[in-house]
Amino acid sequence: MKFSENWLRTWVNPELSSEALAHALTMAGLEVEALEPVAPAFDNVVVAEVLEVVKHPNADRLNVCQVNVGETQPLTIVCGAANVAVGAKVPCARIGALLPGDFAIKQAKVRNVESFGMLCSEKELGLAEESQGLWLLPADAPVGQTLREYLELDDKLFTLKLTPNRSDCSGMVGVAREVAALTGSPLKPLEIQIQPVDLSEQLPVHVADAQACPLYCGRLVRGVNAAAPTPTWMLRRLERSGLRSISAVVDITNYVMLEMGQPLHAFDAAQLSGGITVRRARNGEELTLLNEQAVKLDEAMLVIADDARVLALAGIMGGQGSGVETVTRDVFLESAFFHPDAIAGKARRFGLATDSSFRFERGVDFAATRQALERATQLLLEICGGSAGAISEVRGEVPQRAAITLRRSRVARVLGIALDNTQIATLLKRLQLDFVVNDDDFSVMPPSFRFDLSIEADLIEELARLYGYDNIPAQAPQAALTMLPYSESQRPLARIQQTLVARDYQEIVSYAFVEEQVERELCGNEHPVALQNPIASNLAVMRSSLIGGLVGALRFNLNRKQVRVRLFEAGACFAKVNGEYVQSQQLSGLAYGAAQPEQWGAAAKPVDFYDVKADVEALFAPQLLRFVAATHPALHPGRSAQIYCGAQAVGWIGELHPRWQQQYDMAQPAVWFEVELGALTRAAVPHMSEIAKSLPVRRDLAVLVDDAVAAQALLDAMQQVVAPYVQEIALFDVYRGKGLEQGKKSLAFRVLLQDTQKTLTDSEIETSIVLLVDMLQQHGAQLRV
């Protein structure tokens, strides 16, 4: 919204400078995006009349002019402009004037003729990029008056960056109403005169879609002079609002739109066939717009039509063939309220952004629809003449405004300041809101021009704006501090993250949306949770694992020449189980490159399965894990395992499959793990146990088994034996090779025995060892001696 400050001050004139007014508007939510002068700085330039023009005696292209600048004697000025003529009114820079570019006017001798000033073009005054000769002013320009005063060049232009909720400020009446509310200055109301009806005829109007167009007003005006000149004051305000003059009739509709925020349209009544119909377009209908763009319509578009054709896109732009020309004699003026839902987004379908669609999309004041038509009629009759007919009005169900309850206690709680009833009432009156007071509650009726007022919080915001955000003290919040319970059975996520960081991992945060192909390939998920409205085609499904984001981050780092990458992420994963959507929390990590940073203390070796296995075991410590060989779509079939904590499967670990390693351009394998965060955060509550008074006893058991027998199976079997005094059983050696039969391997287990009260005897030790050996032999193990 762009407007002239002088125009605004004809409505409301606060005792504020331009800069202070801009600051007040910005702090109240109407951001002043730009504040710029209408004209560059220059002075001592007046309106002058050329009295005499004679050829310069010493130059063919120069003239010696006698110029009246409002003093007793005319000035002699040498001028080289081709369009200088007797009787012309032109700007004259007098001696001492300073023009744009620090160009000072001095008395000078031009080819032996004294010149006492300079006649100016628009370019020389900084008001145009190019100009052809002198700037010829209107014949009624007062001689001797300063040019800045005559053309109001000390004016400034405000450009507001309106938010979508403040459509009421898309017209001067709304901006003036806002300034009056903010400053407390009196607001001069717009005087709209009801025009007499001189014609008995009316154009029939039919609204086929009353929901999209709840209110339509039209009026026939005959005998207008469409070629009449637009008044200078109107032209000035239009131009300073960014609109070019077209013709008097069109200028009037544009002016009323800027003035009241209500878009209007004027049809050439002679080009209409029958009455006016507001309806949905029919599929395949075509219309050539005023900008000469041809558009093909469908049923989603609301149009204005007559009995023969489509005339205009409702609320957006008129069509060719029915617009007003200079030869037009009869005009049909349209002023309507189109529902924002019927207009929103329609202009963008055709690459359009018009002043009308800007306002209708956000909502216009339906209570001012008829008033805007009266105002346009008033200006049309004053400027172009003619006779007006009665207004044709079709009214449906316009939006209903419900009263809002505003509680003084709620105002104090939200704003942190205590406003009494008198203060609140004063602020509401400044906003032109009708209300009824009931004790400390206000029942406020929002006006038709404020679509953004619908709940109590909206009114509280209005009070804060008018009271002044700068006037609300910044108070430190006061609240009681309560120590929250801390469960020892849960480990905080932060501690787990710190453990990984200490083991040289770096945390990433990736999208929960992934490419469907990634889900199918890396997760084996043939039915991922699809998004109804994805933000991008490659982010169309929800992830069921964190591996996609980690692999993407790894590739990003590899493309930037990183040779050692260790990443982890904690986040939500999504799946559909038995028709129900399930969300789980997972922790996942990925290691690539060298097992340790480059150094002199250890030989370089690539990270492998067992390096990452140690990281996973460190995360779960002191809980013990089991790693059972299993296959996963993303992992190498011979170098992957499922992770068990007790009897529960809690995750996966393994090298990335060579196929994916090749597809994602990895020079060496990456090792990945993923575990359930719930299993990881569970912790056993510590309990006291008696400290043994004697040393533990160690016995080693070496057994010979088939190569296919898993060491974990033998460990599990021995753990089930109720052997007294046994505190720990662990595998410490695996041997294959010389001295053993083909297909055999040797496993060595460490057994620690201890009693807290006494030193164990050989017989007690032997009893427990025999039980363990019997169990091993039951599983096909042969004791080595």
Side-chain angles (χ1 to χ4, degrees):
M1 176 65 183
K2 186 176 183 180
F3 59 87
S4 155
E5 181 182 0
N6 285 356
W7 190 9
L8 173 64
R9 290 187 182 272
T10 63
W11 292 75
V12 56
N13 191 14
E15 294 182 358
L16 295 175
S17 66
S18 304
E19 291 72 20
L21 179 58
H23 177 73
L25 288 171
T26 299
M27 292 305 297
L30 296 181
E31 181 184 352
V32 178
E33 191 175 24
L35 176 61
E36 52 193 355
V38 167
F42 61 82
D43 61 7
N44 208 8
V45 179
V46 299
V47 177
E49 181 181 8
V50 179
L51 302 178
E52 180 183 86
V53 178
V54 297
K55 283 293 183 181
H56 193 289
N58 301 319
D60 294 337
R61 297 187 178 182
L62 298 179
N63 296 301
V64 179
C65 307
Q66 297 299 314
V67 180
N68 178 15
V69 294
E71 296 181 350
T72 55
Q73 295 295 325
L75 299 179
T76 300
I77 297 177
V78 177
C79 176
N83 62 338
V84 64
V86 175
K89 298 285 185 69
V90 295
C92 176
R94 305 183 62 183
I95 293 175
L98 186 64
L99 302 186
D102 292 333
F103 181 54
I105 302 300
K106 303 176 182 178
Q107 180 179 342
K109 183 177 291 188
V110 182
R111 296 289 184 93
N112 295 323
V113 175
E114 292 287 343
S115 180
F116 297 90
M118 184 177 80
L119 304 183
C120 303
S121 66
E122 290 179 277
K123 180 180 179 181
E124 290 163 336
L125 295 175
L127 299 174
E129 294 291 334
E130 295 294 335
S131 58
Q132 300 295 327
L134 298 178
W135 184 7
L136 301 180
L137 301 176
D140 60 352
V143 174
Q145 187 176 16
T146 64
L147 191 68
R148 301 194 73 90
E149 181 181 349
Y150 170 60
L151 297 177
E152 299 181 4
L153 297 181
D154 290 323
D155 192 7
K156 291 187 178 180
L157 300 181
F158 280 68
T159 302
L160 300 183
K161 188 176 182 180
L162 293 179
T163 52
N165 63 314
R166 292 309 306 268
S167 60
D168 59 299
C169 291
S170 61
M172 288 301 302
V173 62
V175 177
R177 190 165 47 217
E178 184 75 6
V179 172
L182 293 174
T183 63
S185 301
L187 175 65
K188 180 182 178 181
L190 177 63
E191 296 180 0
I192 300 178
Q193 300 174 2
I194 304 300
Q195 299 304 302
V197 176
D198 298 325
L199 296 176
S200 59
E201 57 183 316
Q202 287 180 286
L203 207 61
V205 175
H206 173 65
V207 177
D209 191 342
Q211 185 174 2
C213 180
L215 178 59
Y216 188 95
C217 298
R219 164 174 271 170
L220 191 64
V221 182
R222 293 196 180 277
V224 301
N225 177 16
T230 304
T232 302
W233 60 268
M234 183 179 289
L235 284 176
R236 187 173 299 155
R237 291 175 178 179
L238 289 173
E239 290 171 357
R240 293 181 184 179
S241 298
L243 297 181
R244 63 183 179 87
S245 175
I246 298 175
S247 68
V249 177
V250 176
D251 290 349
I252 289 169
T253 59
N254 285 337
Y255 180 80
V256 174
M257 177 188 69
L258 294 174
E259 186 177 56
M260 302 185 64
Q262 168 68 53
L264 297 98
H265 189 67
F267 296 98
D268 187 339
Q271 304 297 325
L272 304 181
S273 299
I276 293 292
T277 301
V278 184
R279 60 173 174 83
R280 293 287 177 176
R282 303 183 183 97
N283 288 330
E285 282 188 313
E286 296 183 355
L287 174 65
T288 301
L289 301 174
L290 289 174
N291 64 354
E292 300 183 354
Q293 177 181 349
V295 295
K296 184 171 287 187
L297 308 176
D298 56 36
E299 293 180 351
M301 302 301 299
L302 189 69
V303 299
I304 310 298
D306 61 11
D307 295 345
R309 56 176 174 158
V310 175
L311 302 174
L313 288 180
I316 299 175
M317 185 180 288
Q320 287 189 349
S322 62
V324 174
E325 305 287 347
T326 55
V327 296
T328 298
R329 298 293 297 166
D330 302 324
V331 172
F332 180 75
L333 291 177
E334 170 195 274
S335 179
F337 171 72
F338 299 112
H339 198 283
D341 292 343
I343 307 300
K346 301 302 187 296
R348 289 188 291 276
R349 287 180 54 181
F350 303 116
L352 300 173
T354 66
D355 291 315
S356 293
S357 63
F358 176 86
R359 288 162 172 80
F360 280 123
E361 285 179 343
R362 290 158 174 78
V364 300
D365 182 7
F366 53 83
T369 301
R370 190 181 181 104
Q371 295 178 8
L373 184 59
E374 291 283 7
R375 174 62 170 163
T377 306
Q378 174 186 343
L379 293 173
L380 184 64
L381 297 181
E382 290 176 358
I383 298 170
C384 301
S387 301
I391 294 178
S392 302
E393 178 180 303
V394 178
R395 179 181 291 267
E397 186 175 347
V398 296
Q400 299 297 314
R401 309 311 308 275
I404 306 170
T405 299
L406 176 65
R407 297 164 292 173
R408 187 160 68 91
S409 59
R410 184 63 180 172
V411 173
R413 181 172 181 178
V414 173
L415 299 185
I417 54 175
L419 298 178
D420 57 35
N421 284 7
T422 302
Q423 289 175 297
I424 294 176
T426 300
L427 295 176
L428 293 177
K429 288 178 181 177
R430 284 165 55 181
L431 288 166
Q432 299 185 17
L433 302 181
D434 295 329
F435 59 89
V436 176
V437 183
N438 183 13
D439 294 331
D440 287 342
D441 294 344
F442 292 76
S443 179
V444 183
M445 179 61 67
S448 58
F449 55 82
R450 290 299 300 271
F451 281 88
D452 58 319
L453 301 182
S454 58
I455 59 176
E456 185 179 28
D458 297 331
L459 295 177
I460 296 175
E461 181 185 6
E462 292 299 297
L463 296 180
R465 290 194 316 111
L466 264 64
Y467 185 81
Y469 294 118
D470 291 340
N471 296 325
I472 299 177
Q475 298 176 346
Q478 297 180 359
L481 295 179
T482 304
M483 183 174 290
L484 299 176
Y486 176 78
S487 174
E488 289 187 272
S489 63
Q490 291 289 323
R491 288 194 298 168
L493 176 60
R495 186 181 302 171
I496 297 169
Q497 293 169 319
Q498 290 166 2
T499 302
L500 283 170
V501 171
R503 299 183 77 87
D504 223 8
Y505 285 82
Q506 292 181 308
E507 186 175 12
I508 71 164
V509 178
S510 63
Y511 279 119
F513 316 135
V514 296
E515 190 174 1
E516 186 173 359
Q517 182 181 356
V518 171
E519 274 293 297
R520 295 184 187 278
E521 292 180 348
L522 296 182
C523 305
N525 186 2
E526 295 297 327
H527 302 287
V529 178
L531 296 170
Q532 291 184 348
N533 187 25
I535 60 175
S537 60
N538 63 331
L539 300 173
V541 300
M542 303 292 288
R543 65 188 179 190
S544 62
S545 168
L546 303 176
I547 187 172
L550 290 169
V551 170
L554 173 60
R555 293 181 64 193
F556 183 89
N557 281 272
L558 294 181
N559 291 337
R560 284 151 183 81
K561 306 304 180 183
Q562 298 298 313
V563 295
R564 183 174 184 269
V565 182
R566 297 167 76 88
L567 307 171
F568 79 93
E569 179 176 14
C573 295
F574 308 86
K576 196 171 185 180
V577 180
N578 299 326
E580 298 291 333
Y581 293 107
V582 178
Q583 177 177 329
S584 61
Q585 297 292 324
Q586 304 287 330
L587 178 77
S588 187
L590 189 68
Y592 177 92
Q596 296 186 19
E598 186 176 3
Q599 56 175 294
W600 65 91
K605 80 174 190 70
V607 67
D608 60 20
F609 177 95
Y610 295 100
D611 293 320
V612 178
K613 176 175 176 287
D615 294 333
V616 175
E617 289 175 328
L619 286 175
F620 278 88
Q623 300 181 80
L624 298 179
L625 301 178
R626 290 189 299 114
F627 297 84
V628 179
T631 58
H632 186 281
L635 302 178
H636 192 300
R639 300 176 184 175
S640 61
Q642 196 165 16
I643 305 171
Y644 284 82
C645 184
Q648 180 187 1
V650 297
W652 290 89
I653 184 174
E655 285 187 7
L656 209 61
H657 197 288
R659 178 172 53 182
W660 311 133
Q661 177 185 335
Q662 181 179 7
Q663 178 172 318
Y664 294 122
D665 298 325
M666 299 179 190
Q668 60 190 72
V671 184
W672 166 76
F673 74 87
E674 183 165 299
V675 295
E676 295 179 7
L677 201 54
L680 193 55
T681 55
R682 286 195 298 269
V685 178
H687 62 278
M688 187 276 296
S689 60
E690 189 176 0
I691 298 176
K693 299 178 181 179
S694 58
L695 297 175
V697 177
R698 171 174 172 162
R699 292 289 186 269
D700 293 342
L701 298 176
V703 295
L704 193 65
V705 296
D706 292 336
D707 208 20
V709 175
Q712 187 65 48
L714 298 182
L715 283 170
D716 292 343
M718 287 189 287
Q719 295 287 355
Q720 294 175 4
V721 175
V722 183
Y725 313 122
V726 175
Q727 300 295 322
E728 178 184 325
I729 304 173
L731 177 71
F732 71 89
D733 186 51
V734 179
Y735 175 73
R736 298 180 181 87
K738 186 178 180 180
L740 297 182
E741 298 179 20
Q742 186 73 22
K744 296 289 186 177
K745 64 182 177 182
S746 174
L747 303 177
F749 297 95
R750 178 181 70 248
V751 181
L752 295 181
L753 303 95
Q754 191 176 38
D755 190 296
T756 59
Q757 299 297 325
K758 63 180 181 178
T759 302
L760 296 176
T761 65
D762 288 342
S763 61
E764 290 172 331
I765 296 171
E766 192 62 28
T767 300
S768 296
I769 295 298
V770 168
L771 291 175
L772 296 177
V773 171
D774 289 344
M775 178 59 71
L776 290 172
Q777 291 175 342
Q778 291 176 22
H779 283 75
Q782 180 183 351
L783 190 67
R784 297 185 66 191
V785 294

